Amino acid sequence: MKTYLRGETRAAMNKTGLRQLRRSGQIPAIVFGIGEDNLMIQLSAKEFGKWARSGQGGIVELRLDNQEPIPVLLETVQRDPVTREYIHVDFLRINKNEIVRTRVNLDYIGTAKGAKLGGVVQIQSTFIEIESYPDHVPAVIPVDISELEIGDSVHVGDLKLPDGVVSISAANELLVSVVTPKVQTDQPEAM
């Protein structure tokens, strides 16, 4: 399933113009990469926020004005530290015939057996870096944690990746573990 975002090209703006653009419900963005000029655009904050909250990754096709859709990957997102509103987005223009390197979100599925016995699930990372052709970039990578007991963990090397997808993240990178909870005591330590 392809994901599309609508946008419009825009002119360069100063801080005041960008602030007014954001107040009108738009997010300034830039599209860069593969030997073409950078393209300044604006997107609907509501539409982009809905897509971002869905946790979907992979290729997005930008539909700008009346041009051909541009295949891109989300590169960076800037958010206001207080309001958490989106303030700027960078997209990387891609060539569907060349391998790309990108981050893919992990979707932890299930309740760990160890958590049902009082263990604490500690998530260390919510994404991994991968390489593949753009058409093979998954939206998310599911990680089933339902069989994890206390003391168990999942590393990047344990993941089952789709065909054509290669992990760039280190195989021994810890993603999630189930640990014994620390017991709090009100007794001061003896010396």
Side-chain angles (χ1 to χ4, degrees):
M1 182 175 122
K2 289 189 178 181
T3 302
Y4 296 97
L5 288 175
R6 287 187 308 268
E8 300 171 0
T9 55
R10 65 176 173 88
M13 298 178 173
N14 60 17
K15 286 184 179 184
T16 304
L18 292 172
R19 204 173 299 124
Q20 289 173 343
L21 181 71
R22 290 183 193 104
R23 281 193 200 122
S24 72
Q26 300 289 309
I27 304 171
I30 195 159
V31 179
F32 64 92
I34 64 170
E36 297 203 24
D37 291 338
N38 292 349
L39 182 62
M40 289 182 277
I41 64 171
Q42 62 192 39
L43 306 165
S44 161
K46 186 176 182 179
E47 185 179 350
F48 179 80
K50 183 178 178 182
W51 173 77
R53 283 188 302 279
S54 74
Q56 296 290 312
I59 298 174
V60 177
E61 296 211 351
L62 292 178
R63 291 187 171 175
L64 305 175
D65 307 323
N66 291 320
Q67 302 174 16
E68 284 290 314
I70 302 171
V72 296
L73 288 171
L74 179 63
E75 187 70 15
T76 56
V77 176
Q78 294 176 4
R79 295 180 83 161
D80 184 283
V82 176
T83 65
R84 304 302 298 153
E85 291 178 2
Y86 299 104
I87 56 176
H88 194 273
V89 180
D90 290 342
F91 291 103
L92 175 64
R93 186 186 314 247
I94 59 170
N95 179 340
K96 291 186 177 187
N97 299 318
E98 292 180 9
I99 290 177
V100 295
R101 180 179 283 196
T102 188
R103 291 179 173 185
V104 176
N105 290 333
L106 301 173
D107 182 18
Y108 294 104
I109 300 168
T111 302
K113 286 181 179 178
K116 294 175 184 175
L117 300 172
V120 177
V121 175
Q122 292 186 335
I123 295 175
Q124 302 298 320
S125 184
T126 57
F127 65 88
I128 64 167
E129 290 194 24
I130 59 116
E131 260 187 0
S132 78
Y133 283 100
D135 289 342
H136 292 98
V137 174
V140 296
I141 296 174
V143 182
D144 184 3
I145 62 170
S146 59
E147 295 298 316
L148 295 181
E149 301 279 355
I150 293 175
D152 290 347
S153 58
V154 176
H155 296 83
V156 172
D158 301 326
L159 297 178
K160 187 168 212 97
L161 298 176
D163 290 340
V165 175
V166 177
S167 171
I168 298 303
S169 298
N172 64 351
E173 182 181 329
L174 178 64
L175 299 175
V176 61
S177 58
V178 181
V179 298
T180 305
K182 290 186 178 180
V183 179
Q184 296 281 335
T185 60
D186 294 335
Q187 305 281 332
E189 290 185 22
M191 292 196 183

